[in-house]
Amino acid sequence: MDSDLHSNHQPRVVIIGAGFAGLGAATTLVKHGVKNLVILEALDRAGGRVWTHKPFGADALELGATWIHGQKDNPLYQMSKEKGLLADDGFGMVSCQPLSVTPQDYFFNEQAKQLPSTQVEHVTCFFGRLMSQINQQDYKRECESWSVGEYLDREFTLSNLSKVEGAEEIYEWCKRAECVDEACNSMYEFSLSQLGLYTALEGPFFNSLGSKGYQAVLDVFIDQLPPNSLRCRKPVRCVQWDGSSSPSKLSKHPVNVVCEDGEQFLADHVIVTVSLGCLKERASTFFDPPLPKGKTEAIQRLGFGTVAKIFLEFSKPFWPDDCAGIQLVWEQGPESLKGYSDGCRQQSWRSEWFKKIGGFDCVPMHRSTLCGWITGLAAEHMETLPESEVGEVCVRIIEAIYKLASDRTARGAALHVV
């Protein structure tokens, strides 16, 4: 690529996928003088996992990605700050510490009893310290082959907390919340030795980008693209490259990108930014010739989890003004090892899928809206249910806690996998 950039020849580049990776690659190329490019996106919109929606008024609601993770060496944060896209006065800024819980998070058990904040803090701080040690790979070497869930369970059993009434239920909540933070189906599917390889950027997280949301960041990228370079509703069927079974098509260019509608794009370089899920489903036919064995094996072995959101809008808030979220503590939840490994218990997720919900958080700029988080097989099952049923179940849970006499049904439930 470097030789192309410094020659008179303007390389032709095709980028597959218009998520942040694809748009970031495109704008970086444009900054370096490469403007002969096209971005092919299967959806009818750019953004990928970023999806800003406005179902409840003029302010943005993020169906997809929510956070800007950290400040130091984070180009997304720097750009958002320079463009004035971050919310003012620290609104929407939270600590980067593991499992950050504040006194404004209201914890309730199944008997609708609010748990003392001191008890919650004692357990969540213990859990947070454990996760920090895991991230620093500070554990005994004989545990390397364990899952994170197995290690967490052992440490809790060995601690004095295991003898404290109610502590285990809060600890289970911590594991469910961590599934959301790590975007995994279960702590028992997460490798202990691999978690520490992730490098977190320093500084607080931001979950508020003003009334326009993440769409404002997308617009900054899109505005830098050459005219007509972004092609939506353009799913790709196959990438033919050097050694393809159709060599005549590649006489002048080493790559030919064939779309589902039959249109073809010849290119000198192709950047593929599609999701891991798409690669798992289509890698065997997506490339001609197939990718090298090592890459195909890596695609098949890598895993990812399901994380979904549930938005509930009420006619007016019934929770206190200082409430940051309504957290749910179950007597027995699906994140216990017994529940995870027991086949009968797994089947019960169909009737108790809601027990994977950690709680309902208040949403910035939406005073009457709550957002629930759910992961794993429970989330996948939930998404097969009608939105009305999901909304009824969630409102019934909250109603049991606050004993609501009105607002029997939420006005809407917006569901989306991220």
Side-chain angles (χ1 to χ4, degrees), residues 14 16 40 234-241 244-246 249-250 255-267 270 272 274 278 282-291:
V14 173
I16 304 176
L40 304 177
K234 210 69 174 172
V236 172
R237 182 169 65 221
C238 182
V239 178
Q240 299 172 341
W241 55 292
S244 168
S245 58
S246 304
K249 297 178 181 178
L250 307 178
V255 191
N256 182 40
V257 179
V258 183
C259 294
E260 293 287 359
D261 61 6
E263 187 172 2
Q264 302 182 24
F265 295 85
L266 295 173
V270 172
V272 180
V274 301
C278 179
R282 302 183 56 194
S284 61
T285 60
F286 199 70
F287 300 95
D288 178 18
L291 292 175

Side-chain angles (χ1 to χ4, degrees), residues 105-316:
D105 285 289
Y106 289 18
F107 282 73
F108 293 89
N109 63 17
E110 290 189 49
Q111 287 72 44
K113 177 184 177 181
Q114 185 174 351
L115 303 181
S117 59
T118 52
Q119 181 187 22
V120 171
E121 183 180 8
H122 193 42
V123 178
T124 56
C125 285
F126 173 79
F127 186 92
R129 289 193 297 271
L130 279 182
M131 290 305 302
S132 293
Q133 292 174 4
I134 293 173
N135 279 294
Q136 297 166 13
Q137 297 188 317
D138 180 16
Y139 49 79
K140 295 180 180 179
R141 294 303 100 186
E142 61 264 27
C143 302
E144 281 189 336
S145 61
W146 293 17
S147 70
V148 175
E150 290 171 313
Y151 183 79
L152 290 172
D153 287 350
R154 190 199 68 163
E155 293 301 303
F156 178 79
T157 301
L158 295 175
S159 73
N160 292 329
L161 279 176
S162 62
K163 304 177 181 65
V164 178
E165 183 179 358
E168 184 176 2
E169 288 79 3
I170 301 173
Y171 197 73
E172 289 298 312
W173 177 90
C174 292
K175 287 194 286 183
R176 283 183 288 138
E178 193 66 28
C179 286
V180 174
D181 287 350
E182 304 295 350
C184 67
N185 282 353
S186 170
M187 289 287 97
Y188 301 100
E189 293 183 4
F190 208 158
S191 169
L192 181 68
S193 62
Q194 296 301 302
L195 180 56
L197 300 180
Y198 178 80
T199 301
L201 300 179
E202 296 178 11
F205 292 179
F206 289 82
N207 71 335
S208 181
L209 287 158
S211 61
K212 294 184 179 179
Y214 250 117
Q215 183 62 48
V217 182
L218 275 178
D219 291 340
V220 172
F221 282 95
I222 293 173
D223 289 344
Q224 299 177 54
L225 300 177
N228 303 316
S229 59
L230 176 59
R231 311 282 186 88
C232 292
R233 299 187 186 90
K234 210 69 174 172
V236 172
R237 182 169 65 221
C238 182
V239 178
Q240 299 172 341
W241 55 292
D242 190 22
S244 168
S245 58
S246 304
S248 60
K249 297 178 181 178
L250 307 178
S251 56
K252 295 182 180 180
H253 297 272
V255 191
N256 182 40
V257 179
V258 183
C259 294
E260 293 287 359
D261 61 6
E263 187 172 2
Q264 302 182 24
F265 295 85
L266 295 173
D268 297 294
H269 307 276
V270 172
I271 302 175
V272 180
T273 69
V274 301
S275 68
L276 177 60
C278 179
L279 286 176
K280 281 180 172 293
E281 181 180 343
R282 302 183 56 194
S284 61
T285 60
F286 199 70
F287 300 95
D288 178 18
L291 292 175
K293 182 179 179 181
K295 293 187 181 298
T296 57
E297 289 180 347
I299 290 171
Q300 295 306 317
R301 292 178 64 182
L302 283 171
F304 62 93
T306 300
V307 181
K309 298 178 182 179
I310 307 167
F311 288 104
L312 301 171
E313 190 199 32
F314 296 84
S315 58
K316 60 182 179 180

Side-chain angles (χ1 to χ4, degrees), residues 66-114:
T66 301
W67 308 91
I68 291 181
H69 291 250
Q71 298 175 333
K72 186 177 180 181
D73 299 324
N74 187 340
L76 191 61
Y77 166 78
Q78 293 297 334
M79 184 189 74
S80 299
K81 183 178 180 180
E82 291 169 3
K83 299 292 184 179
L85 303 180
L86 299 175
D88 296 332
D89 301 325
F91 180 69
M93 182 176 69
V94 299
S95 169
C96 61
Q97 296 300 315
L99 208 70
S100 178
V101 177
T102 72
Q104 285 71 46
D105 285 289
Y106 289 18
F107 282 73
F108 293 89
N109 63 17
E110 290 189 49
Q111 287 72 44
K113 177 184 177 181
Q114 185 174 351

